[in-house]
Amino acid sequence: MNTSPDPAAPPTAPAETGDLDATGPTRSASETSRWTAAELRRLAALTWPGQLLVVAGIVAANAQPQIAQHFHTTQIAWFSLAFTLSTIVATPFAVRLGEMHGKRRVMLVLAAAGLVGDIVTVVAPTYPVMVLGRVIGGLYGPVAVLVLAAVRDLFPPRKVAMALGTVTGSVGVLSLLTPLLSGRLLDAFGWRGALWFLVASTVAAIGALLVVPETPRRALAGRLDRAGALLLGGGLALVVFGIGQGSGWGWSSAGVLSAIGTGLAALAAFVVVELRVATPILDLRMLGRRSLATVLLGSSVPQAAFFASQSILIFLALFPPVPHVSDGLGWSTTHNAVIGIPAGLVTFAAGIGVGKAVRTISPRAVWYTGLTVLTVGLVLAALYHRDTAHIIVTGVVMGLGGGILMAGQQAMIVSVVSVEEQAAANGMSSLLTQVFLALTNQGLYAVLAADSTVLKGTAFYHDRAFTHAYLTMAAIVALGLLISLAIPRLGRPADAVAADPAGEPAATPAPVSPAPGPA
């Protein structure tokens, strides 16, 4: 994912203007200020494929307790990890191929592969086959990144911010409706019924992508950084595998130390390779800029902890209470979804509030506020999680912090990159978040397993496990806060940011209206 100009690289191929409607700079201001029927159709068609991962993530997460008990497995962590690792490896290739062959074409191929994975997952007779299905299904993951990049290609500059805000802001609505829907499906039809809904959702996403115009091709066919992708994916898989086996095998065992050591060596080799190849999958040179490096790292780490923390409540709420075995609350999926509505509303409102606040307040200050609120919420959840009132109150606090984070991240990225770099920066941000999410998820399951009882092949968790898990997520968010303290002064976000000759964004962005709403 090369995001900075390389003097040694071949010249960029010209865009194929026949691939999309005329949306270039020759259009007048009056034309670009009005939304045409074609643009509205295009926006609607991109929204569902871009947010299907949110729906799939919620449904899959809620299904995990039932799946673990059905297959009698203590390795339920790999249900999500297999998907995440596959997405990590596929994303840089997808971004590069999208630039070479057109993003729509690549998204359709990835969505078709994801559909195959969804079907394998839902009909799987054994848990290993289900994990294989999740690996194949993870190939859909890069579609979300390509959708954001396609928005910038398919809309005039004046409408890009609003289009991005609409596509990404729809997550607030989906985060409210999807838990209720998944709850009804799981309670009525079990986990297979919920996963069949995901199959239908992927089919709908493919149908939507078919009406999206092709994007310009901006890169010549060249050598793909296969070595970098294999080192990143393989190294990360070994590290998370070692962390996951730590509780069972012993942290000082040869197997655990070998897996983690080999994985870290592969990741070190990945850094060396990425600094030497002309077209790296992850342009580490881009992280040489303090402003962008601190924004990407400081935002990816706490967001991974926020996303991972959602799994704690799912196991706490949906696992049954069994004396001396399980301290779950034994709620139905639907009841848990209803209890989560206040938190979802606050998260949605926080995103809108951030979109307005960053017009006059530095996004860095807003970001610090979100990190602080989320840390407090996680600590409160560690101490109070035994009844409905506790879950609602702590959920609202965490939802407020999480909503600020999700909206604030995009505002910070827009503040430190030029228009040309925004798509690449979003891709790098997504990839880093996925990497940290894989590590955080495996660490979370290791913490839960440390205070668990295995009954009929399924791990059930004690109250201490939930307390320690929430505190661990709070510590990771606090780490993100420490990293974020190094973020330099940021200007207000704008759709275009002037860059100085050294490639560093100017201290004051160009006076263009900021992106409204959450991002």
Side-chain angles (χ1 to χ4, degrees):
M1 189 184 302
N2 194 356
T3 55
S4 61
D6 184 355
T12 301
E16 296 185 5
T17 56
D19 281 342
L20 68 158
D21 298 338
T23 57
T26 58
R27 299 178 67 184
S28 66
S30 60
E31 287 178 312
T32 58
S33 64
R34 297 191 302 269
W35 287 82
T36 66
E39 289 169 343
L40 291 174
R41 286 195 300 270
R42 194 174 302 161
L43 182 61
L46 286 169
T47 297
W48 180 250
Q51 293 300 344
L52 179 57
L53 279 183
V54 175
V55 175
I58 294 173
V59 174
N62 283 328
Q64 284 186 122
Q66 288 190 17
I67 292 172
Q69 294 174 72
H70 176 85
F71 288 108
H72 303 292
T73 178
T74 60
Q75 301 298 317
I76 192 61
W78 284 97
F79 184 77
S80 57
L81 280 171
F83 189 98
T84 301
L85 290 172
S86 178
T87 297
I88 289 172
V89 175
T91 295
F93 285 114
V95 172
R96 173 68 175 166
L97 291 172
E99 293 294 312
M100 291 165 50
H101 302 292
K103 299 177 181 67
R104 172 183 178 270
R105 185 173 290 109
V106 174
M107 286 191 287
L108 283 170
V109 172
L110 293 173
L115 177 61
V116 172
D118 290 344
I119 294 174
V120 172
T121 300
V122 75
V123 302
T126 64
Y127 188 64
V129 174
M130 172 171 277
V131 172
L132 174 63
R134 293 290 285 171
V135 171
I136 301 172
L139 296 176
Y140 184 97
V143 170
V145 177
L146 291 175
V147 163
L148 295 179
V151 166
R152 188 160 295 281
D153 287 334
L154 297 176
F155 292 89
R158 290 190 179 190
K159 296 177 182 176
V160 166
M162 179 65 74
L164 283 172
T166 301
V167 172
T168 58
S170 60
V171 67
V173 177
L174 293 176
S175 65
L176 290 175
L177 299 179
T178 304
L180 293 172
L181 175 61
S182 66
R184 301 286 289 185
L185 290 171
L186 286 164
D187 292 340
F189 305 106
W191 62 268
R192 290 194 195 271
L195 295 186
W196 274 118
F197 168 74
L198 292 186
V199 172
S201 298
T202 306
V203 171
I206 293 174
L209 289 171
L210 287 173
V211 304
V212 174
E214 187 54 278
T215 61
R217 303 174 191 179
R218 303 182 185 278
L220 293 172
R223 183 178 179 182
L224 296 175
D225 184 18
R226 296 181 180 87
L230 291 175
L231 287 170
L232 176 62
L236 190 63
L238 285 170
V239 171
V240 298
F241 175 77
I243 294 174
Q245 299 302 321
S247 298
W249 294 357
W251 290 102
S252 60
S253 67
V256 169
L257 293 178
S258 296
I260 295 177
T262 304
L264 291 176
L267 293 176
F270 165 76
V271 173
V272 175
V273 169
E274 296 308 279
L275 291 176
R276 292 183 176 181
V277 298
T279 55
I281 63 168
L282 188 62
D283 190 0
L284 299 180
R285 300 178 188 88
M286 200 171 179
L287 296 179
R289 289 159 43 182
R290 175 191 165 194
S291 58
L292 184 57
T294 51
V295 164
L296 291 180
L297 293 174
S299 62
S300 299
V301 171
Q303 280 205 107
F306 174 65
F307 296 143
S309 69
Q310 309 306 306
S311 298
I312 304 174
L313 177 58
I314 290 172
F315 286 106
L316 170 64
L318 303 186
F319 266 20
V322 180
H324 309 297
V325 174
S326 172
D327 286 322
L329 298 176
W331 293 347
S332 69
T333 313
T334 302
H335 179 74
N336 187 45
V338 172
I339 294 301
I341 288 177
L345 289 172
V346 169
T347 300
F348 184 45
I352 297 175
V354 168
K356 295 180 179 180
V358 294
R359 297 179 181 181
T360 55
I361 302 174
S362 167
R364 183 178 62 171
V366 174
W367 180 256
Y368 291 158
T369 301
L371 288 172
T372 302
V373 173
L374 180 57
T375 302
V376 171
L378 288 166
V379 172
L380 288 175
L383 300 175
Y384 307 102
H385 53 255
R386 296 311 308 162
D387 57 39
T388 298
H390 289 167
I391 300 301
I392 291 177
V393 173
T394 58
V396 165
V397 179
M398 288 188 290
L400 175 61
I404 295 173
L405 293 194
M406 288 188 290
Q409 181 196 43
Q410 184 66 17
M412 290 198 299
I413 290 176
V414 171
S415 298
V416 297
V417 298
S418 65
V419 175
E420 292 75 16
E421 291 179 313
Q422 285 181 26
N426 281 331
M428 182 178 288
S429 171
S430 175
L431 187 60
L432 286 173
T433 300
Q434 292 289 338
V435 168
F436 289 122
L437 179 59
L439 295 171
T440 302
N441 262 327
Q442 194 67 319
L444 170 62
Y445 283 106
V447 171
L448 288 172
D451 284 297
S452 65
T453 297
V454 178
L455 180 64
K456 295 182 179 180
T458 302
F460 294 90
Y461 307 114
H462 304 298
D463 187 71
R464 289 189 308 275
F466 300 120
T467 297
H468 294 160
Y470 276 122
L471 290 177
T472 300
M473 295 302 102
I476 294 175
V477 174
L479 173 62
L481 177 58
L482 291 177
I483 297 173
S484 298
L485 292 176
I487 297 175
R489 180 178 177 273
L490 302 178
R492 290 183 294 113
D495 187 58
V497 180
D500 64 21
E504 194 73 30
T508 304
V512 181
S513 299

